[in-house]
């Protein structure tokens, strides 16, 4: 089945550790996105990528990093510089270009900092 | 800049009652608008989208939304609520920038009582 796979679904981290969240898609989409979700705040954009080897900061990029070495993959690293990393992280992909903007989402990864 | 406002962080209805979730948008150009649904600890699933065709848009699970330019609204409705409709609902607008991004509202949690 075509879709977006995020892993791990649950992750616990000690303060000061970097963690990497995986996102893989087999929809042949050019565009990929990372959102952060906190209760009552909706979804906030962390990073997005239009094509391989290119990505841009979203609204809350501080303390995060990404790479886009392959079309199918867009991993997110939560660094120790992120002051409040406990959240639900959602990866999405879309056609990009002249499409409608519709996004397809993975199941999410819940990160808890102990 | 494009934005959406969802009125009411929580809406409670009885099973069989009308569901009405409100969304108002702000956009200087004809918008593309979306409604997504999220079940606990899952990703977002597209319910329906408005892409400047018919103003009354029908989606999955019996939901529909009407685009009203004069009121800058895109409210989501369902004639008869079912217990399985209990979830969080997000309205989103596509930003008209050089690259497609969605801006999400803060979400409305729908509670359905027997």
């Amino acid at each position: 089945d075509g879709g977006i796979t995020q892993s791990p679904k649950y992750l616990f981290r000690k303060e000061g550790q970097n963690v990497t969240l995986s996102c893989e898609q087999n929809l042949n989409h050019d565009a990929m996105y990372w959102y952060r979700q906190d209760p009552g705040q909706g979804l906030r954009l962390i990073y997005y990528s239009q094509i391989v080897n290119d990505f841009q900061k979203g609204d809350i990029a501080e303390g995060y990093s990404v790479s886009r070495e392959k079309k199918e993959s867009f991993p997110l690293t939560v660094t120790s510089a992120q002051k409040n990393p406990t959240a639900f992280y959602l990866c999405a992909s879309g056609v990009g270009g002249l499409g409608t903007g519709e996004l397809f989402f993975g199941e999410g990864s819940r990160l808890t900092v102990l | 800049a494009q934005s959406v406002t969802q009125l009411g962080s929580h809406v409670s209805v009885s099973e069989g009652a009308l569901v009405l979730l409100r969304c108002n948008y702000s956009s200087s150009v004809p918008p593309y608008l979306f409604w997504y649904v999220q079940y606990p600890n899952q990703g977002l699933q597209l319910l329906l989208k408005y892409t400047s065709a018919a103003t009354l848009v029908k989606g999955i699970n019996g939901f529909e939304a009407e685009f009203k330019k004069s009121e800058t609204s895109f409210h989501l409705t369902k004639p008869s609520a079912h217990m399985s409709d209990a979830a969080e609902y997000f309205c989103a607008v596509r930003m008209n920038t050089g690259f497609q991004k969605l801006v999400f509202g803060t979400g409305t949690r729908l509670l359905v009582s027997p």
Side-chain angles (χ1 to χ4, degrees), chain A residues 36-93:
Chain A
R36 170 178 171 144
Q37 185 178 16
D38 296 282
Q41 297 193 47
L43 278 70
R44 293 180 291 168
L45 183 63
I46 305 173
Y47 268 98
Y48 61 98
S49 169
Q50 303 179 61
I51 56 173
V52 175
N53 294 321
D54 182 66
F55 50 84
Q56 286 79 41
K57 294 181 179 180
D59 302 317
I60 57 165
E62 184 176 351
Y64 299 97
S65 66
V66 294
S67 63
R68 187 87 186 275
E69 298 177 359
K70 298 187 300 182
K71 185 175 184 178
E72 313 80 52
S73 179
F74 192 43
L76 173 74
T77 296
V78 184
T79 75
S80 57
Q82 169 49 233
K83 298 189 185 309
N84 185 21
T86 294
F88 192 54
Y89 291 89
L90 287 160
C91 179
S93 70

Side-chain angles (χ1 to χ4, degrees), chain A residues 9-10 31-33 35 37 40-43 45 48-50 56-59 88 90 95-108 110, chain B residues 6 9 32-34 36 38-46 48-51 88 90 93-95 97-107 109:
Chain A
K9 189 163 179 65
Y10 299 96
M32 296 188 74
Y33 309 75
Y35 285 90
Q37 185 178 16
Q41 297 193 47
L43 278 70
L45 183 63
Y48 61 98
S49 169
Q50 303 179 61
Q56 286 79 41
K57 294 181 179 180
D59 302 317
F88 192 54
L90 287 160
V95 172
L98 298 178
T100 63
E102 176 183 348
L103 297 186
F104 297 79
F105 284 84
E107 292 292 295
R110 185 168 298 280
Chain B
Q6 292 185 242
S9 59
Y32 284 5
L33 294 160
F34 305 82
Y36 283 85
Q38 183 183 35
Y39 298 99
N41 290 314
Q42 294 188 22
L44 277 66
Q45 178 184 6
L46 182 69
L48 49 81
K49 61 185 177 185
Y50 169 74
T51 58
E88 189 152 22
F90 292 93
V93 62
R94 189 189 81 171
M95 292 187 68
T97 60
F99 179 67
Q100 298 168 14
K101 292 188 290 183
L102 292 189
V103 175
F104 287 84
T106 52
R109 184 166 298 279

Side-chain angles (χ1 to χ4, degrees), chain B residues 28-105:
Chain B
S28 58
V29 298
Y32 284 5
L33 294 160
F34 305 82
W35 274 101
Y36 283 85
V37 61
Q38 183 183 35
Y39 298 99
N41 290 314
Q42 294 188 22
L44 277 66
Q45 178 184 6
L46 182 69
L47 274 177
L48 49 81
K49 61 185 177 185
Y50 169 74
T51 58
S52 73
T55 56
L56 182 61
V57 182
K58 294 187 182 298
I60 63 172
N61 301 338
F63 284 93
E64 63 182 36
E66 186 173 8
F67 174 73
K68 292 187 176 180
K69 184 178 179 180
S70 61
E71 299 177 8
T72 61
S73 68
F74 190 57
H75 301 333
L76 182 71
T77 61
K78 182 175 181 177
S80 177
H82 191 272
M83 296 295 289
S84 61
D85 295 326
E88 189 152 22
Y89 294 79
F90 292 93
C91 182
V93 62
R94 189 189 81 171
M95 292 187 68
N96 292 304
T97 60
F99 179 67
Q100 298 168 14
K101 292 188 290 183
L102 292 189
V103 175
F104 287 84

